[in-house]
Amino acid sequence: MSLPSPLLAVTDRHGHARPLAATVRAVIAGGGRWIWFRDRDLPPDERRRLGETVADTVRAAEGFLIVGGDPDLAVILGAGGVHLPGGAPVSPVRDRLGGVLLGVSAHSLREVEAAALAGADYVTLSPIFPTASKPGYGPALGPEAIAAARGFGIPVVALGGIGEGTLPACREAGAAGFAVMGGVMHGEDPEGATRALLAGWADRGIV
């Protein structure tokens, strides 16, 4: 299964006064149609309500929604995929949801290999570069980890410290795409930030 877009935009309602749905709408307007609904710090009922708003927004803008860590919520929201934490069992989710896009978070080559063997469609590998949002996962892996991970035959989405300046290294290492949270969720112009990132990716011949 091909990835919906090179850019995976990870939701984060913190850090800006605008409603999350408005930010998501702006990201999709900027070309970032692949949205990962994360915001997992909310109680289940609140997360479901926020997810319904985000799902409606993504659907209306003809984007592609995946839900982080909760297959049940993905079904409720009619999402196109699920993103599982590292080490989570893949087969039961695949058996239940069928041909949805199924991703797994990886923080080492061992976890990439495990996800590939389990039948995931892609992995996010992080942190590639230093980032304040991933302090608990040790030092940055560096783009060389992307190149090594490609040997397991699964698309690798670079996550952690990704911006216009670090895109070339991810491309040269063979990343299938890149994931961004703060770079598109927290600024004053999420649409413009999304356009700039995608333009940088396209300028380097990797649309």
Side-chain angles (χ1 to χ4, degrees):
M1 181 182 294
S2 60
L3 301 182
S5 166
L7 168 58
L8 173 55
V10 187
T11 67
D12 183 11
R13 72 192 186 284
H14 301 291
H16 203 283
R18 77 167 62 85
L20 179 60
T23 301
V24 168
R25 190 179 301 112
V27 168
I28 297 176
R33 66 181 302 270
W34 187 14
I35 306 296
W36 171 0
F37 176 58
R38 195 166 178 268
D39 289 272
R40 59 189 182 189
D41 59 320
L42 288 168
D45 287 347
E46 290 184 38
R47 191 180 188 220
R48 177 183 54 78
R49 287 193 293 271
L50 179 60
E52 288 171 346
T53 301
V54 170
D56 288 344
T57 300
V58 173
R59 193 174 297 112
E62 299 183 349
F64 189 97
L65 180 69
I66 62 172
V67 173
D70 191 339
D72 291 336
L73 183 58
V75 172
I76 291 170
L77 300 183
V82 179
H83 192 96
L84 299 173
V90 172
S91 294
V93 179
R94 178 68 76 198
D95 291 343
R96 178 184 179 191
L97 301 184
V100 302
L101 187 68
L102 208 163
V104 174
S105 293
H107 307 290
S108 68
L109 294 180
R110 180 179 298 179
E111 291 184 351
V112 173
E113 181 181 23
L117 291 173
D121 294 310
Y122 72 93
V123 294
T124 55
L125 183 58
S126 68
I128 301 300
F129 300 100
T131 172
S133 66
K134 290 284 184 180
Y137 291 107
L141 299 172
E144 59 271 17
I146 299 171
R150 289 186 66 213
F152 298 115
I154 187 170
V156 178
V157 176
L159 172 63
I162 308 299
E164 291 180 71
T166 56
L167 283 177
C170 295
R171 181 261 307 186
E172 290 165 10
F178 61 102
V180 179
M181 184 170 66
V184 294
M185 290 286 152
H186 296 166
E188 293 295 328
D189 183 13
E191 180 177 345
T194 300
R195 288 189 189 279
L197 286 167
L198 286 170
W201 191 257
D203 286 347
R204 294 171 175 92
I206 41 181
V207 287

